């Protein structure tokens, strides 16, 4: 009987839910919803502010191994990123070595700040092409 109880306990500990991602904090795997290429489609502003009329050609690609490639107006940078889950907030991507942060809000990425500097108009990114 002890062997059966021990086997049951081991099976319960090995169940898929036992190794789930934490409710909050840095994630060990990238959620599929964030992977792929995202293109900047414009800005969304706080009430009373006007979005820039200038269209910026910006594309960012997130890979499952926590690497990214960011191309802005023909200039490309590469690096690593991390993904954090907050208790009552969207998932957040932070590009390592920079102050860039992106929140996954619905089916868009929003960039509202660089570190402590908060923008009045957030940069909005949507899926680019079919790789999303």
């Amino acid at each position: 009987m002890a062997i059966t109880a021990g086997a049951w306990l081991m099976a319960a500990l090995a169940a898929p839910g036992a190794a789930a991602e934490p409710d909050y904090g840095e994630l060990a795997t990238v959620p599929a919803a964030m992977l792929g290429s995202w293109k900047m489609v414009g800005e969304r502003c706080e009430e009373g502010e006007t979005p820039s009329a200038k269209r910026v050609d910006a594309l960012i690609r997130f890979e499952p191994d926590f690497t990214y490639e960011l191309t802005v107006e023909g200039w490309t940078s590469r690096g690593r990123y991390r993904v954090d889950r907050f208790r009552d907030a969207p998932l957040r991507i932070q590009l390592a070595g920079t102050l860039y942060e992106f929140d996954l809000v619905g089916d868009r990425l929003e960039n509202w700040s660089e570190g402590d500097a908060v923008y009045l108009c957030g940069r909005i990114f949507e899926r680019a092409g079919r790789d999303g």
Side-chain angles (χ1 to χ4, degrees), residues 40-69:
M40 185 173 162
V41 294
E43 295 179 330
R44 188 168 58 99
C45 297
E46 296 288 337
E47 189 173 332
E49 297 297 321
T50 304
S52 172
K54 180 182 180 204
R55 293 293 171 221
V56 176
D57 182 23
L59 184 75
I60 188 164
R61 180 170 179 78
F62 297 107
E63 299 292 345
D65 65 352
F66 291 94
T67 59
Y68 73 87
E69 180 176 282

Short mmCIF file of all heavy atoms in Angstrom, two decimals, residues 40-69:
data_model
loop_
_atom_site.label_atom_id
_atom_site.label_comp_id
_atom_site.label_asym_id
_atom_site.label_seq_id
_atom_site.Cartn_x
_atom_site.Cartn_y
_atom_site.Cartn_z
N MET A 40 5.60 48.64 -36.43
CA MET A 40 5.00 49.84 -35.85
C MET A 40 3.96 50.38 -36.81
O MET A 40 4.25 50.61 -37.99
CB MET A 40 6.05 50.89 -35.55
CG MET A 40 5.47 52.09 -34.84
SD MET A 40 6.77 53.23 -34.33
CE MET A 40 5.78 54.69 -34.07
N VAL A 41 2.73 50.58 -36.29
CA VAL A 41 1.63 51.04 -37.14
C VAL A 41 1.18 52.45 -36.78
O VAL A 41 0.32 53.01 -37.45
CB VAL A 41 0.43 50.07 -37.07
CG1 VAL A 41 0.80 48.73 -37.68
CG2 VAL A 41 -0.10 49.93 -35.66
N GLY A 42 1.74 53.02 -35.73
CA GLY A 42 1.36 54.37 -35.35
C GLY A 42 1.49 54.58 -33.85
O GLY A 42 2.18 53.84 -33.16
N GLU A 43 0.81 55.61 -33.39
CA GLU A 43 0.86 55.97 -31.98
C GLU A 43 -0.57 56.10 -31.44
O GLU A 43 -1.49 56.39 -32.18
CB GLU A 43 1.55 57.31 -31.77
CG GLU A 43 3.01 57.32 -32.15
CD GLU A 43 3.65 58.68 -31.95
OE1 GLU A 43 2.94 59.71 -32.08
OE2 GLU A 43 4.84 58.70 -31.66
N ARG A 44 -0.68 55.88 -30.15
CA ARG A 44 -1.92 56.15 -29.43
C ARG A 44 -1.54 57.07 -28.29
O ARG A 44 -0.57 56.82 -27.58
CB ARG A 44 -2.53 54.86 -28.89
CG ARG A 44 -3.92 55.07 -28.29
CD ARG A 44 -4.63 53.76 -28.04
NE ARG A 44 -3.87 52.89 -27.17
CZ ARG A 44 -4.12 52.75 -25.85
NH1 ARG A 44 -5.07 53.43 -25.28
NH2 ARG A 44 -3.39 51.93 -25.13
N CYS A 45 -2.28 58.17 -28.12
CA CYS A 45 -1.88 59.21 -27.17
C CYS A 45 -2.84 59.36 -26.01
O CYS A 45 -4.03 59.02 -26.12
CB CYS A 45 -1.77 60.55 -27.89
SG CYS A 45 -0.50 60.57 -29.17
N GLU A 46 -2.29 59.90 -24.94
CA GLU A 46 -3.11 60.30 -23.80
C GLU A 46 -4.07 61.38 -24.26
O GLU A 46 -3.81 62.09 -25.24
CB GLU A 46 -2.23 60.84 -22.67
CG GLU A 46 -1.27 59.82 -22.08
CD GLU A 46 -1.97 58.78 -21.23
OE1 GLU A 46 -3.08 59.04 -20.73
OE2 GLU A 46 -1.39 57.69 -21.07
N GLU A 47 -5.19 61.53 -23.57
CA GLU A 47 -6.17 62.54 -23.93
C GLU A 47 -5.53 63.92 -23.96
O GLU A 47 -4.76 64.29 -23.08
CB GLU A 47 -7.31 62.53 -22.92
CG GLU A 47 -8.47 63.39 -23.33
CD GLU A 47 -9.67 63.24 -22.41
OE1 GLU A 47 -9.83 62.17 -21.82
OE2 GLU A 47 -10.43 64.20 -22.30
N GLY A 48 -5.82 64.66 -25.04
CA GLY A 48 -5.28 66.01 -25.19
C GLY A 48 -3.98 66.07 -25.96
O GLY A 48 -3.51 67.15 -26.29
N GLU A 49 -3.39 64.93 -26.27
CA GLU A 49 -2.13 64.89 -27.02
C GLU A 49 -2.42 64.46 -28.46
O GLU A 49 -3.39 63.76 -28.72
CB GLU A 49 -1.14 63.92 -26.38
CG GLU A 49 -0.72 64.31 -24.98
CD GLU A 49 0.02 65.63 -24.92
OE1 GLU A 49 0.82 65.91 -25.83
OE2 GLU A 49 -0.21 66.38 -23.96
N THR A 50 -1.56 64.86 -29.38
CA THR A 50 -1.73 64.54 -30.79
C THR A 50 -0.60 63.62 -31.25
O THR A 50 0.57 63.92 -31.01
CB THR A 50 -1.71 65.83 -31.64
OG1 THR A 50 -2.71 66.70 -31.14
CG2 THR A 50 -1.96 65.52 -33.11
N PRO A 51 -0.95 62.51 -31.92
CA PRO A 51 0.10 61.63 -32.44
C PRO A 51 0.96 62.33 -33.48
O PRO A 51 0.49 63.23 -34.17
CB PRO A 51 -0.65 60.47 -33.07
CG PRO A 51 -2.09 60.67 -32.79
CD PRO A 51 -2.28 62.04 -32.23
N SER A 52 2.19 61.90 -33.60
CA SER A 52 3.10 62.45 -34.61
C SER A 52 2.59 62.12 -36.00
O SER A 52 2.09 61.02 -36.24
CB SER A 52 4.50 61.86 -34.42
OG SER A 52 5.34 62.22 -35.49
N ALA A 53 2.73 63.06 -36.92
CA ALA A 53 2.33 62.83 -38.31
C ALA A 53 3.39 62.00 -39.04
O ALA A 53 3.11 61.39 -40.06
CB ALA A 53 2.12 64.16 -39.02
N LYS A 54 4.61 61.99 -38.51
CA LYS A 54 5.70 61.24 -39.14
C LYS A 54 5.49 59.74 -38.91
O LYS A 54 5.23 59.30 -37.80
CB LYS A 54 7.04 61.65 -38.54
CG LYS A 54 8.20 60.91 -39.17
CD LYS A 54 9.52 61.28 -38.56
CE LYS A 54 10.60 60.48 -39.28
NZ LYS A 54 11.77 60.31 -38.49
N ARG A 55 5.60 58.97 -39.97
CA ARG A 55 5.49 57.52 -39.89
C ARG A 55 6.90 56.94 -39.78
O ARG A 55 7.75 57.19 -40.63
CB ARG A 55 4.77 56.94 -41.10
CG ARG A 55 3.33 57.33 -41.15
CD ARG A 55 2.58 56.69 -40.00
NE ARG A 55 1.24 57.22 -39.90
CZ ARG A 55 0.64 57.52 -38.76
NH1 ARG A 55 1.26 57.35 -37.62
NH2 ARG A 55 -0.58 57.98 -38.75
N VAL A 56 7.14 56.19 -38.74
CA VAL A 56 8.45 55.58 -38.51
C VAL A 56 8.40 54.14 -38.99
O VAL A 56 7.49 53.39 -38.64
CB VAL A 56 8.81 55.63 -37.01
CG1 VAL A 56 10.12 54.91 -36.75
CG2 VAL A 56 8.85 57.06 -36.51
N ASP A 57 9.39 53.76 -39.80
CA ASP A 57 9.51 52.40 -40.28
C ASP A 57 10.27 51.59 -39.22
O ASP A 57 11.49 51.69 -39.11
CB ASP A 57 10.25 52.37 -41.62
CG ASP A 57 10.34 50.97 -42.19
OD1 ASP A 57 9.51 50.11 -41.84
OD2 ASP A 57 11.28 50.73 -42.99
N ALA A 58 9.52 50.86 -38.41
CA ALA A 58 10.13 50.08 -37.32
C ALA A 58 9.54 48.67 -37.32
O ALA A 58 8.33 48.49 -37.45
CB ALA A 58 9.88 50.75 -35.98
N LEU A 59 10.42 47.69 -37.19
CA LEU A 59 10.03 46.28 -37.16
C LEU A 59 10.84 45.58 -36.09
O LEU A 59 12.06 45.79 -36.00
CB LEU A 59 10.29 45.64 -38.53
CG LEU A 59 9.86 44.19 -38.70
CD1 LEU A 59 8.34 44.12 -38.85
CD2 LEU A 59 10.53 43.58 -39.92
N ILE A 60 10.17 44.77 -35.27
CA ILE A 60 10.88 44.01 -34.25
C ILE A 60 10.46 42.55 -34.35
O ILE A 60 9.29 42.26 -34.62
CB ILE A 60 10.64 44.58 -32.83
CG1 ILE A 60 11.55 43.89 -31.83
CG2 ILE A 60 9.17 44.48 -32.44
CD1 ILE A 60 11.67 44.62 -30.52
N ARG A 61 11.43 41.67 -34.19
CA ARG A 61 11.17 40.23 -34.25
C ARG A 61 11.66 39.58 -32.98
O ARG A 61 12.82 39.78 -32.59
CB ARG A 61 11.86 39.61 -35.46
CG ARG A 61 11.62 38.12 -35.57
CD ARG A 61 12.09 37.55 -36.90
NE ARG A 61 11.85 36.13 -36.94
CZ ARG A 61 10.67 35.57 -37.17
NH1 ARG A 61 9.62 36.32 -37.40
NH2 ARG A 61 10.53 34.26 -37.18
N PHE A 62 10.78 38.81 -32.34
CA PHE A 62 11.11 38.08 -31.11
C PHE A 62 11.22 36.59 -31.41
O PHE A 62 10.31 36.01 -32.01
CB PHE A 62 10.03 38.31 -30.04
CG PHE A 62 9.92 39.74 -29.61
CD1 PHE A 62 8.86 40.52 -30.01
CD2 PHE A 62 10.90 40.31 -28.81
CE1 PHE A 62 8.75 41.84 -29.62
CE2 PHE A 62 10.82 41.63 -28.41
CZ PHE A 62 9.73 42.40 -28.82
N GLU A 63 12.34 36.00 -31.02
CA GLU A 63 12.60 34.57 -31.23
C GLU A 63 12.37 33.81 -29.92
O GLU A 63 12.46 34.39 -28.83
CB GLU A 63 14.04 34.36 -31.70
CG GLU A 63 14.37 35.04 -33.02
CD GLU A 63 13.65 34.42 -34.21
OE1 GLU A 63 13.12 33.30 -34.09
OE2 GLU A 63 13.63 35.07 -35.27
N PRO A 64 12.10 32.50 -30.00
CA PRO A 64 11.84 31.71 -28.79
C PRO A 64 13.04 31.58 -27.86
O PRO A 64 12.88 31.26 -26.68
CB PRO A 64 11.41 30.34 -29.31
CG PRO A 64 11.51 30.38 -30.78
CD PRO A 64 11.89 31.75 -31.22
N ASP A 65 14.25 31.84 -28.35
CA ASP A 65 15.45 31.72 -27.51
C ASP A 65 15.79 33.04 -26.80
O ASP A 65 16.92 33.24 -26.36
CB ASP A 65 16.64 31.23 -28.33
CG ASP A 65 17.06 32.22 -29.41
OD1 ASP A 65 16.35 33.23 -29.63
OD2 ASP A 65 18.10 31.97 -30.04
N PHE A 66 14.81 33.93 -26.69
CA PHE A 66 14.96 35.23 -26.02
C PHE A 66 15.94 36.16 -26.74
O PHE A 66 16.61 36.96 -26.11
CB PHE A 66 15.36 35.06 -24.55
CG PHE A 66 14.27 34.47 -23.70
CD1 PHE A 66 14.22 33.10 -23.47
CD2 PHE A 66 13.30 35.27 -23.15
CE1 PHE A 66 13.22 32.55 -22.68
CE2 PHE A 66 12.29 34.74 -22.36
CZ PHE A 66 12.25 33.37 -22.14
N THR A 67 16.01 36.05 -28.06
CA THR A 67 16.77 37.02 -28.84
C THR A 67 15.79 37.82 -29.69
O THR A 67 14.69 37.37 -30.00
CB THR A 67 17.81 36.35 -29.76
OG1 THR A 67 17.16 35.46 -30.67
CG2 THR A 67 18.86 35.60 -28.95
N TYR A 68 16.20 39.06 -30.01
CA TYR A 68 15.36 39.92 -30.83
C TYR A 68 16.21 40.59 -31.89
O TYR A 68 17.43 40.67 -31.79
CB TYR A 68 14.66 40.99 -29.98
CG TYR A 68 15.58 42.09 -29.51
CD1 TYR A 68 15.84 43.21 -30.29
CD2 TYR A 68 16.24 41.99 -28.29
CE1 TYR A 68 16.71 44.21 -29.87
CE2 TYR A 68 17.10 42.98 -27.85
CZ TYR A 68 17.33 44.08 -28.64
OH TYR A 68 18.20 45.05 -28.23
N GLU A 69 15.52 41.09 -32.92
CA GLU A 69 16.13 41.93 -33.94
C GLU A 69 15.20 43.12 -34.13
O GLU A 69 14.02 42.94 -34.42
CB GLU A 69 16.30 41.17 -35.25
CG GLU A 69 16.95 42.02 -36.34
CD GLU A 69 17.21 41.23 -37.60
OE1 GLU A 69 18.19 40.46 -37.62
OE2 GLU A 69 16.39 41.36 -38.53
#
